[in-house]
Amino acid sequence: MTFDRSVPAVSLLIGERELNAGSGGVFAHINPATGEHQADIPLAGPAEVNQAVACASEAFEVWRRMPGAQRSLLLNRFADLIQANTQEFIRLAAIEGGTPITVGAGGPRLGEEWTRYYAGWADKIDGQVVSMPPAEELIYTRPEPYGVIGIIITWNGPLISLGMKVAPALAAGNTVVIKPAEQTPFVAQLFARLALEAGIPPGVINVLPGSTEAAQALIAHPEVQKVTFTGGPVTARKILHQCADLLKPAVLELGGKSANIVFEDADISAVAQMAAFWSVGLLSGQGCELPTRLLVQDSIYEQMVQAVAAVAGHLPLGDPFNANTIIGPVINQDACTRILGMVERAKSSGAGRVVLGGERVGGEFANGYYLRPTVLADVDPRSEIAQQEVFGPVLVIQRFKEEAEAIALANSTGYGLGGYIQTNDLGRANRLAAALKTGYVHINGTRNIPACAPFGGIGLSGYGKEGGRPGLDEFIRLKTVSMPA
């Protein structure tokens, strides 16, 4: 299939209004595959945030009173439109973030899945009678939406983040103001337009690419009742400082340094394919729950190092619109500098042995933000590159002898988002699942972030849940009512 590479204009979407300029200025959007300027993105400031929150507050009175069955119908229509526009979402992801078209279908697939899943919850939200006879009072709970939710998402996988946050918020009866990253505004804009096309009332979803000042204004707004954020710990701390001053609740889906633990009874070839693709291939390593640490049992260590490096070295790198490309660029020049700096410090300090990569791609891709897939072996577990999230196509490999050592290594960072276990011994798999300090554990290749399952981390990986009933409950607050029995 041939994709159109034209770049759409971006507006601020407040209700049904589209504003071509904002008080936050303009962001010069650079194509990460070419390094060339391709669009000027209008940025919202506090003035537009105030307008969007007012619009969302007005829409909330309509949306919250709509029967759950009607909200369910509209969300299912929305899911239908996400699915129908799969190719356009793939195209926009390649333009804005350099996501290869070969892997870009994951965004709309998950966006549809999460929207449809929570559409199924919209008419099933109920309270409980909590008193027992012969109590003198009848006591019951009323589940109620918060109101306006402030949603702040980062640039990697924006459609996935939107599905994970917007769908449960709307199913519960809330309205939202979304601040997407200025690096990836195109997908969010299409998302909001499709919601209107589905019949979701104007103002239920508002989208404001914006400056830091806009994010601060959104968090501080008195009518924004809760904040949900996907990003990194540094920004999360700033958000929490604001929320703490206001006693405002927040959900934080942050980074990870997930360990992929491989025991000697695992299928080396299959694990090598999975380990390479899910660390340096998918999204060029720019994913929060990707297994970027490979812990390998001593007896198969060298064999696994060579197998993973061989697979990673043959993953096709290139133009995101090429049907053969698996690895695209990282998001920008700053990311290139940061990632290569971490690899160089690991090399110079003796913290790891570079088996593959560790350099920027030249030639026809020199102007884009391409990094060769990088594999480091014998990595010191105390080193920066073993402890800190790289968020790029870098895999670190470490050796262990016994189960207890693997657990200690896996739990040795401050993150706790995901964990991966590769073994044919299900007893051992369950022991490790209990021992790992993470919010999610994948055994023998199970997939990431299905809508039906709670997802979220501990420690530096944040708190709160997205997915399943717990993800819906994040957007509901319970009121208790009592009356004479």
Side-chain angles (χ1 to χ4, degrees), residues 386-410:
Q387 289 289 318
Q388 300 299 318
E389 185 178 41
V390 178
F391 224 64
V394 178
L395 174 64
V396 300
I397 308 180
Q398 297 165 306
R399 184 193 305 258
F400 71 88
K401 291 183 178 180
E402 303 296 337
E403 189 176 305
E405 185 182 4
I407 293 169
L409 280 172

Side-chain angles (χ1 to χ4, degrees), residues 74-292:
L74 294 177
L75 285 168
N76 270 310
R77 286 182 186 168
F78 188 20
D80 291 341
L81 288 171
I82 292 172
Q83 192 279 329
N85 284 271
T86 291
Q87 297 305 310
E88 181 64 2
F89 277 119
I90 292 172
R91 187 184 82 85
L92 294 177
I95 290 171
E96 67 182 8
T99 303
I101 60 171
T102 50
V103 299
R109 177 180 60 77
L110 286 169
E112 177 199 356
E113 177 186 337
W114 281 70
T115 303
R116 203 174 299 285
Y117 174 82
Y118 281 109
W121 273 111
D123 60 352
K124 301 176 182 66
I125 301 171
D126 53 12
Q128 290 181 301
V129 175
V130 296
S131 59
M132 295 290 290
E136 296 180 356
E137 295 179 344
L138 171 66
I139 305 174
Y140 66 93
T141 60
R142 286 178 49 89
E144 298 181 347
Y146 277 83
V148 181
I149 305 295
I151 296 178
I152 303 171
I153 60 171
T154 190
W155 45 263
N156 71 308
L159 184 54
I160 299 172
S161 288
L162 290 170
M164 295 172 79
K165 297 178 184 298
V166 175
L170 267 56
N174 302 279
T175 57
V176 300
V177 177
I178 304 164
K179 196 201 89 63
E182 54 269 36
Q183 295 95 333
T184 51
F186 305 124
V187 161
Q189 178 173 254
L190 177 58
F191 180 84
R193 286 174 174 166
L194 292 179
L196 289 172
E197 186 178 337
I200 293 174
V204 172
I205 298 177
N206 307 272
V207 177
L208 301 177
S211 61
T212 299
E213 188 181 17
Q216 293 169 340
L218 181 62
I219 296 164
H221 200 291
E223 291 186 48
V224 172
Q225 299 296 303
K226 189 168 187 175
V227 175
T228 176
F229 168 70
T230 294
V234 173
T235 302
R237 290 186 181 97
K238 296 176 182 177
I239 289 173
L240 282 183
H241 278 299
Q242 266 197 284
C243 287
D245 288 340
L246 301 166
L247 297 180
K248 187 171 293 188
V251 176
L252 304 176
E253 198 278 277
L254 308 180
K257 194 72 176 176
S258 301
N260 188 7
I261 306 171
V262 186
F263 288 90
E264 60 188 0
D265 62 343
D267 183 328
I268 291 176
S269 177
V271 172
Q273 293 284 340
M274 175 266 185
F277 177 73
W278 282 87
S279 60
V280 302
L282 185 62
L283 298 177
S284 300
Q286 299 170 117
C288 55
E289 205 208 359
L290 298 181
T292 54

Side-chain angles (χ1 to χ4, degrees), residues 3-19:
F3 285 85
D4 174 15
R5 301 193 186 211
S6 62
V7 179
V10 171
S11 305
L12 310 179
L13 301 178
I14 301 175
E16 290 182 291
R17 293 187 300 140
E18 297 197 13
L19 307 180

Side-chain angles (χ1 to χ4, degrees), residues 383-448:
S383 64
E384 175 196 39
I385 206 158
Q387 289 289 318
Q388 300 299 318
E389 185 178 41
V390 178
F391 224 64
V394 178
L395 174 64
V396 300
I397 308 180
Q398 297 165 306
R399 184 193 305 258
F400 71 88
K401 291 183 178 180
E402 303 296 337
E403 189 176 305
E405 185 182 4
I407 293 169
L409 280 172
N411 290 338
S412 66
T413 78
Y415 296 95
L417 189 54
Y420 298 74
I421 302 167
Q422 317 295 333
T423 180
N424 287 322
D425 184 338
L426 292 184
R428 175 162 58 198
N430 282 306
R431 286 195 302 274
L432 263 74
L436 294 182
K437 296 177 181 179
T438 65
Y440 211 129
V441 177
H442 302 271
I443 298 173
N444 293 338
T446 57
R447 77 183 182 97
N448 292 58

